């Protein structure tokens, strides 16, 4: 598979840096990947999320920038009170730099043109921007650097086997209301290529431990690699991840999202309600959550995801971890880590109903 020429000057590419790492201290078990020599990592803030615990709705049925395409992933910033949501740009939405035919949905999907919506924690829209030639938006991360907020997503679309655009590198940028970022035309956009030969690269961020997890495809399989965020922000010639694990057998079905917290990697699969996946009372949906330990590569929890069973459409779309500041979650002494799960929903059962955004959360038992 070859990359389309974008006219970019490769010398302008910011390449990812080498990480020197040890297995996470104090976690026990054999690491799933040999760790490189270097300074030890601090013990990670962890606290396993109970996947079988009832979830609380952050908000339900909220409108995004596009109403004919579903949400794909999201990131939550409780400190500022914001939620960011990615989706494919819907048909008949003209964007700067378009050529004839680009407004068709098939072209938007092939090119990886995304809409990014900014919401408050009640789901009210605050702004939007567009990301052209970025990817499918399967996952995204949010980084706080002092008072600044940066979003991490895939970039530089390559078609997968189905011809749908998927990112081949990672990027980092601030939200700018009304902006249009075009990966094919702007060689100066921030880029990181963490693993040679990897395609279908997406990312998420563990805000408690400042680590970035990347899901990628190489050698006919999807894998997950965990990196120290501070290292990949430096310009270095190569990387070594802290851990690198394959997809466990329990994660079967349509993949819909992932997130990392300490020694745990969380994954979600599932599809929208339909003839083969009926809503209650005939069925209970096919969404499922899996929790894996980075330090052993083994699954320690797997359960059906039953949040929002009564909602129309209900298609699983994205996972995220965020830290809720002290006092906002009932804990006045320290932050609470939450695992958020997203669903594309509709306000009624008609297939023509607008595609809306719904998000639930569960809190860590150890923070």
């Amino acid at each position: 598979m070859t990359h389309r020429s974008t006219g970019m000057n490769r010398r302008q590419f910011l390449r990812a840096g080498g990480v020197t790492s040890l297995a996470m201290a104090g976690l026990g078990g054999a690491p799933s990947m040999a760790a490189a020599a270097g300074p030890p990592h601090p013990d990670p803030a962890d606290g396993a999320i109970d996947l079988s615990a009832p979830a609380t709705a952050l908000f339900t049925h909220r409108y995004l920038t596009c109403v004919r395409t579903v949400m794909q992933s999201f990131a939550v910033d409780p400190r500022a009170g914001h939620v960011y949501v990615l989706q494919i740009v819907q048909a008949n939405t003209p964007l700067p730099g378009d050529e004839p035919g680009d407004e068709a949905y098939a072209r938007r999907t092939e090119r990886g043109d995304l809409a990014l919506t900014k919401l408050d924690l009640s789901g009210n829209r605050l702004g939007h921007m567009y990301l052209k030639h970025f990817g499918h938006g399967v996952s995204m991360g949010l980084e706080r650097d002092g008072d600044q907020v940066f979003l991490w997503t895939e970039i530089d679309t390559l078609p997968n086997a189905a011809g749908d655009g998927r990112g081949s590198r990672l990027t980092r940028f601030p939200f700018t209301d009304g902006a249009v970022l075009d990966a094919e035309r702007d060689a100066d956009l921030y880029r990181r290529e963490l693993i040679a030969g990897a395609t279908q690269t997406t990312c998420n961020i563990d805000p408690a431990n400042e680590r970035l997890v990347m899901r990628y495809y190489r050698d006919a399989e999807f894998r997950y690699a965990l990196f120290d965020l501070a290292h990949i922000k430096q310009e270095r010639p190569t990387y070594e991840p802290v851990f690198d694990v394959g997809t466990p057998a329990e994660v079967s079905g349509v993949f819909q999202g992932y997130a990392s917290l300490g020694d745990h990697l969380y994954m979600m699969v599932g599809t929208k309600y339909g003839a083969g996946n009926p809503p209650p009372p005939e069925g209970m949906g096919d969404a499922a959550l899996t929790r894996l330990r980075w330090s052993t590569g083994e699954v320690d929890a797997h359960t059906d995801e039953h949040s929002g069973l009564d909602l129309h459409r209900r298609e699983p779309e994205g996972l995220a971890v965020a830290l809720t500041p002290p006092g906002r979650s009932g804990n006045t002494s320290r932050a609470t880590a939450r695992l958020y799960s997203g669903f594309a929903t509709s306000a009624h059962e008609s297939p023509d109903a607008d595609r809306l955004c719904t998000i639930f959360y569960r809190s860590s038992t150890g923070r």
Side-chain angles (χ1 to χ4, degrees):
M1 189 178 295
T2 57
H3 184 28
R4 293 183 298 171
S5 173
T6 64
M8 293 177 183
N9 182 342
R10 296 290 176 178
R11 289 177 297 179
Q12 293 179 311
F13 252 46
L14 296 176
R15 292 201 173 267
V19 166
T20 55
S21 57
L22 295 176
M24 285 190 265
L27 291 175
S32 54
M33 175 178 176
H41 296 281
D43 290 343
D46 199 9
I49 307 292
D50 182 358
L51 302 182
S52 63
T56 300
L58 180 67
F59 53 67
T60 60
H61 298 329
R62 300 306 184 187
Y63 274 89
L64 302 175
T65 302
C66 301
V67 300
R68 303 311 306 161
T69 58
V70 300
M71 64 180 291
Q72 294 292 336
S73 63
F74 62 98
V76 183
D77 181 9
R79 177 173 159 186
H82 298 147
V83 178
Y84 300 87
V85 186
L86 283 173
Q87 62 186 148
I88 300 292
V89 176
Q90 69 184 29
N92 301 317
T93 303
L95 296 178
D98 279 352
E99 298 179 358
D102 285 349
E103 296 175 20
Y105 177 70
R107 285 286 291 150
R108 295 297 186 203
T109 301
E110 176 190 13
R111 289 154 45 97
D113 293 347
L114 302 175
L116 174 62
T117 305
K118 182 179 181 180
L119 310 168
D120 65 20
L121 293 181
S122 296
N124 301 304
R125 283 178 290 174
L126 302 176
H128 72 278
M129 58 189 299
Y130 292 104
L131 315 173
K132 300 180 69 173
H133 302 280
F134 271 56
H136 196 70
V138 173
S139 186
M140 65 184 299
L142 184 144
E143 173 204 353
R144 275 202 162 271
D145 188 348
D147 291 331
Q148 291 186 293
V149 173
F150 293 93
L151 302 174
W152 286 80
T153 70
E154 64 200 288
I155 194 173
D156 293 336
T157 303
L158 289 172
N160 64 5
D164 296 333
R166 296 293 191 274
S168 61
R169 297 176 179 86
L170 302 182
T171 189
R172 170 186 187 256
F173 58 91
F175 179 87
T176 304
D177 188 23
V180 178
L181 304 184
D182 191 333
E184 234 184 23
R185 296 173 181 267
D186 190 349
D188 293 326
L189 288 173
Y190 187 101
R191 288 174 167 86
R192 287 291 185 262
E193 187 174 11
L194 306 186
I195 295 178
T199 60
Q200 304 191 54
T201 57
T202 56
C203 62
N204 208 307
I205 288 178
D206 173 355
N209 302 282
E210 296 187 349
R211 285 176 169 163
L212 179 145
V213 54
M214 181 178 78
R215 183 175 185 256
Y216 67 97
Y217 188 78
R218 192 175 71 171
D219 300 328
E221 69 168 328
F222 278 103
R223 299 187 64 82
Y224 304 82
L226 187 68
F227 298 90
D228 279 333
L229 185 58
H231 287 168
I232 66 174
K233 287 166 61 177
Q234 300 172 8
E235 187 174 356
R236 297 169 176 239
T238 59
Y239 273 104
E240 290 295 335
V242 181
F243 293 111
D244 188 298
V245 299
T247 302
E250 289 85 347
V251 181
S252 61
V254 178
F255 189 82
Q256 298 288 11
Y258 63 99
S260 182
L261 175 63
D263 191 33
H264 291 100
L265 172 65
Y266 299 87
M267 295 155 282
M268 181 167 64
V269 300
T271 59
K272 66 178 182 293
Y273 288 146
N277 179 35
E282 293 81 7
M284 298 290 283
D286 62 2
L289 293 167
T290 302
R291 190 180 71 211
L292 173 147
R293 279 196 175 271
W294 284 109
S295 55
T296 64
E298 296 179 354
V299 169
D300 65 7
H302 177 75
T303 185
D304 293 335
E305 165 61 294
H306 287 161
S307 302
L309 285 175
D310 59 335
L311 300 176
H312 297 300
R313 186 179 179 90
R314 190 185 179 271
E315 181 176 4
E317 296 286 359
L319 289 178
V321 167
L323 297 179
T324 299
R328 296 190 188 178
S329 61
N331 188 333
T332 59
S333 62
R334 56 183 173 175
T336 299
R338 287 176 173 174
L339 176 68
Y340 297 81
S341 52
F343 293 86
T345 57
S346 295
H348 54 85
E349 62 185 6
S350 168
D352 296 325
D354 291 340
R355 280 39 173 163
L356 307 176
C357 173
T358 294
I359 296 177
F360 292 88
Y361 67 86
R362 296 175 173 88
S363 295
S364 168
T365 57
R367 288 186 65 82

